[in-house]
Amino acid sequence: MLRSTLIALVICVCPIMAHGMEIPDSQTSGVLPVTRSSSGVFEALGPLIRARTEFENGDFSESYKDYLTVVLHDPDNIEALFGLAESALAIGNGEVAEKAYMRLAKLNLNSEQAIAQFKGLVLAEISEGTSENPEKRLKAALKLAPQNFRLWNALGQEYDAQKRWSESWAAYRKATNFGFSKSGYHNNLGMSLIAQKKYSGAISHFKYALAMEPDSSQFHNNYRFALLLAGQYQAALENVSEAQAATLLSDAGYIAMQRREFSLARMLLEKAIEVSPVYNERAAHSLEQLELRQN
C-alpha cells in the first residue's frame, strides 16, 4: 500500500442505503438505490464506463462517485464493487472500502478475485484502524500475493508502529523490489525516521524523494511535516495559504494519530481547525477517530 501520508480520509458516512453499505450523502446527491434489474443495470452503464476511464487516469475522487452510482443501481456488480473499494482506498476512505470488500466476500468470486478481495480487505482494515492483528493479516495476504508492494509497504508501516526499525526498512526494500517507486521508498524511510524522532534524517530523505518527483504535493507536505516536527515552523509554513496550512496540520495530525502519538495528534488537529478559514471536516473527523481510539 502506497504510503499516502496525506490521506483525505474524511468522507462522512450516513445511514445505510443499500445492502449494508453506508453511503456518503455528499457523494450520492440525486442518486436513489433501485432493485437490481435490467433497467438498473442499464442506468448504471454510463457511470461504469466513465468510472473505468477515471480510475485509469488516476482521478479517484470521480471514479469513486461513478462506481458508487453503479453499486447503488446494481449492488452485486463485482467490477463496480472492486472499483469502488479501490477508489475509496485511493482517496483514504477506508470505511467504504472495507464495506465494499466485505460485500464482495458474499458474492461468487473466482480464485483471482477472491485473492484480490482478501488483500484489499486487509489493506482497508488497516487504513480504517479496525484490524485486530495487522501483522498477522498482512502476512496471510502476502502468502497469497507475495509480490504486492502495497502489502509490503503496509507491513513496513506496521513494523514502524512496533518500533521494529530494521524489519520495517527491509519490508520497504521488498516493496521497491516489487515495483514500488524509489521516490516512494525514500518517502517511507522519511516517515520511518519521523517515527524514530530522527527529524533531520527524515528531512534528508524527503529531499531525495522531491528530487525524483519535484511535483509531488505529498512529498512536499511530508517535507513540511518533518520541518514542523523539527520545530522549524516558519520554514514549514512558508509561502502557504491558511487553507494549505490547515490541510498540512490536519494531515500531520492524522499521521501522528496513526503513529499512536495521541497528544501530538490532538495538538495538530486542534490547530488545523483553529487556522482553517472554513470548517475543517477532515480535522474534525480525525479528532472523532482520535477520541474513539483513546476510549
Side-chain angles (χ1 to χ4, degrees):
M1 177 177 65
L2 175 64
R3 166 143 320 163
S4 181
T5 60
L6 303 172
I7 304 177
L9 202 226
V10 225
I11 300 176
C12 291
V13 292
C14 72
I16 293 174
M17 295 183 69
H19 290 272
M21 185 179 298
E22 294 177 353
I23 306 299
D25 276 336
S26 61
Q27 304 293 349
T28 58
S29 177
V31 178
L32 296 176
V34 299
T35 303
R36 189 168 191 235
S37 64
S38 59
S39 62
V41 173
F42 179 77
E43 291 177 37
L45 183 58
L48 181 60
I49 293 171
R50 288 198 304 271
R52 289 169 180 164
T53 301
E54 290 158 352
F55 189 88
E56 289 175 1
N57 292 337
D59 192 355
F60 301 118
S61 294
E62 292 304 310
S63 66
Y64 174 89
K65 295 175 186 176
D66 280 323
Y67 277 128
L68 183 57
T69 299
V70 177
V71 170
L72 287 171
H73 284 287
D74 186 10
D76 290 340
N77 188 309
I78 291 174
E79 178 189 350
L81 282 166
F82 270 117
L84 174 63
E86 289 289 325
S87 298
L89 272 181
I91 63 174
N93 194 332
E95 184 170 1
V96 169
E98 186 176 355
K99 291 179 183 296
Y101 282 123
M102 290 175 68
R103 173 69 186 165
L104 280 162
K106 300 176 182 178
L107 303 180
N108 186 24
L109 306 179
N110 61 36
S111 58
E112 183 178 348
Q113 290 170 334
I115 291 173
Q117 181 275 333
F118 179 67
K119 69 185 182 185
L121 178 60
V122 170
L123 291 170
E125 290 171 346
I126 291 170
S127 173
E128 191 59 16
T130 59
S131 181
E132 293 184 2
N133 192 330
E135 182 180 353
K136 182 178 179 180
R137 294 281 280 171
L138 284 164
K139 287 182 175 179
L142 280 165
K143 286 183 179 180
L144 298 173
Q147 297 186 10
N148 186 284
F149 65 74
R150 296 169 71 192
L151 293 171
W152 282 111
N153 276 337
L155 184 61
Q157 292 171 38
E158 176 59 23
Y159 285 148
D160 275 341
Q162 297 180 31
K163 300 183 179 181
R164 293 159 62 179
W165 314 121
S166 62
E167 290 171 277
S168 73
W169 285 40
Y172 295 140
R173 283 193 297 272
K174 282 276 193 180
T176 306
N177 291 341
F178 294 130
F180 190 56
S181 68
K182 290 290 180 64
S183 57
Y185 171 69
H186 282 290
N187 182 65
N188 280 339
L189 298 189
M191 294 308 300
S192 180
L193 288 167
I194 281 178
Q196 299 173 54
K197 296 180 171 56
K198 297 178 179 179
Y199 303 128
S200 60
I203 290 168
S204 295
H205 276 287
F206 292 137
K207 285 182 177 178
Y208 282 127
L210 280 168
M212 296 175 190
E213 280 191 57
D215 295 330
S216 171
S217 59
Q218 177 191 346
F219 299 161
H220 274 289
N221 285 332
N222 289 351
Y223 172 63
R224 290 181 184 277
F225 176 53
L227 291 172
L228 272 178
L229 295 180
Q232 300 180 39
Y233 303 113
Q234 185 173 352
L237 300 177
E238 187 178 6
N239 298 323
V240 300
S241 66
E242 286 185 345
Q244 289 174 314
T247 298
L248 176 62
L249 289 163
S250 177
D251 291 334
Y254 173 76
I255 295 165
M257 178 177 67
Q258 294 295 90
R259 295 290 186 186
R260 300 166 191 161
E261 298 181 36
F262 296 136
S263 296
L264 175 61
R266 180 177 297 279
M267 180 190 73
L268 291 168
L269 292 169
E270 289 177 348
K271 188 66 176 177
I273 292 172
E274 178 186 332
V275 304
S276 181
V278 296
Y279 175 64
N280 193 324
E281 187 177 12
R282 287 201 292 175
H285 182 75
S286 292
L287 269 177
E288 291 175 5
Q289 285 189 309
L290 180 61
E291 294 292 342
L292 291 173
R293 293 192 182 195
Q294 287 187 292
N295 292 334

